[in-house]
Amino acid sequence: MTQQLDLFAGLQPSPAPPRTKTPATFTAKPNRNTAPPSPAPRPAHKQLTAPARPRTTSIHPPSNPHAQALEIGEAVAGAWNRQHGGNHIHVPIGIVAALGLIGQKDPNGPDLATQILSLNDTNLIAMYREIWSTHWAHRPDLIDRARILHEWLNDTDVDKHRISAVRAVTEAALKNGLLTLTGYTDPYLRSMTDVLSPVMMLLRSRGAQQGLGEFHTPASVAEAMAEFMGFNTLDIMMAATEAGQPQPGQHIHDPAGGSGGLLRAAAQNLREKHLDPADFQWSMCDIDEIAAACAAVNAIIWGLGPHVTVACADTLANPKAIEEAAEHARAVIEHRNTVLDKAKIIAAIRQTQRLLDQSAERAA
């Protein structure tokens, strides 16, 4: 049976190191201390003829994606708790995040969800490791920010109890239709809702939410705000130009972004205006490490493009959080480039050695 896993479903072009010093900036909410760095001038944007629409596919978008996301969150939280997964909620959130990063290679081929659920324990864990490592090679800046969601996979041996919980969460997410929300090549369809927000909120105790001051804006509320404001979500995301339209190269920022819900609504609004989110610069910050990790993954799923910076900090206490996050992202990208360059050299040496061995065998 052909494996239908498409590890590149949500990938974007590898980013250039983020820039931090530019002219003006636009923010989602007032930041009493500072504004994040603005983008460098961008080349002329490409005009989309219309928001992308789905290709022929065996999966169909749900009529109410936000309700579907909530159902997935409830199913995942229930599965994790029944398996006594404990306080390590980064594990089930990381599972849903990884599944959200993939798609099906052939829409008419064998069902991807069925194939994943048929994997044995070893191959299931190997699949999750491959998803994260593949995306790290393309977006090391965002995958590094999401480290808390996948570093548990670095353990040489994942114990049987955890594997059982991982399998239960995988089954809950897939059987409740995760791929009908995220399993598309079209970023417009992948951005119908924020799946990770309800998963995170339902797994986290009310006390923990209150302690973090964490109250996520529901996706439906963000969209209602967009409709009400006339200029749509971009009224709260950026200053309107004289023409009253967002301009490519502008910086869209949310200083208390949670898992990125307002950025999602803004990106959808741009697409509906026949603009490409990749022609804008995006940044957000959240004090919660898991929320910031989810935002980083969502930036890939939603196709925000190569110019995204996600910081984990208190923007009131650290007004340079975005600058510092951008500097760290540059270092991570440079490290990725070094690793890949070394890998290419090693591969070339091995290929040369194989050719020499083959020549020696023929000569003998």
Side-chain angles (χ1 to χ4, degrees), residues 71-94:
E71 290 177 10
I72 292 169
E74 291 171 342
V76 165
W80 180 254
N81 291 327
R82 283 193 298 274
Q83 291 293 323
H84 305 289
N87 296 325
H88 303 289
I89 63 170
H90 55 278
V91 175
I93 297 170

Side-chain angles (χ1 to χ4, degrees), residues 61 132 203 252 260 278 325:
W132 289 109
L203 280 163
I252 305 172

Side-chain angles (χ1 to χ4, degrees), residues 218-348:
S220 56
V221 173
E223 290 174 353
M225 291 168 64
E227 291 296 325
F228 179 75
M229 295 300 289
F231 186 56
N232 293 324
T233 308
L234 296 178
D235 266 339
I236 57 173
M237 303 304 287
M238 60 172 64
T241 63
E242 291 182 2
Q245 288 290 327
Q247 297 297 310
Q250 286 181 324
H251 185 173
I252 305 172
H253 173 67
D254 190 343
S259 56
L262 287 177
L263 300 189
R264 181 197 68 81
Q268 290 297 76
N269 179 256
L270 286 172
R271 292 184 177 111
E272 288 162 4
K273 291 179 180 293
H274 312 308
L275 296 169
D276 188 346
D279 289 330
F280 293 76
Q281 183 168 347
W282 305 83
S283 64
M284 62 145 286
C285 186
D286 199 272
I287 195 170
D288 174 23
E289 186 178 11
I290 292 181
C294 288
V297 173
N298 277 334
I300 300 174
I301 294 173
W302 298 336
L304 296 188
H307 306 281
V308 181
T309 302
V310 180
C312 180
D314 181 348
T315 52
L316 295 179
N318 181 10
K320 294 187 176 181
I322 295 297
E323 287 183 43
E324 292 173 359
E327 183 178 351
H328 177 74
R330 284 195 297 271
V332 171
I333 291 169
E334 290 171 4
H335 171 67
R336 184 277 313 271
N337 293 342
T338 300
V339 169
L340 293 184
D341 286 344
K342 288 181 179 178
K344 290 176 183 177
I345 293 171
I346 292 171

Side-chain angles (χ1 to χ4, degrees), residues 28 64 74 97 130 132 136 158 168 184 214 232 296 302 317 340 361:
N64 190 336
E74 291 171 342
E130 185 176 0
W132 289 109
W136 177 85
V158 181
Y184 305 96
E214 190 169 73
N232 293 324
W302 298 336
L340 293 184
E361 289 174 2

Side-chain angles (χ1 to χ4, degrees), residues 168-186:
V169 168
T170 302
E171 182 173 339
L174 293 177
K175 288 191 173 180
N176 282 275
L178 177 62
L179 295 181
T180 67
L181 296 176
T182 61
Y184 305 96
T185 56
D186 182 348

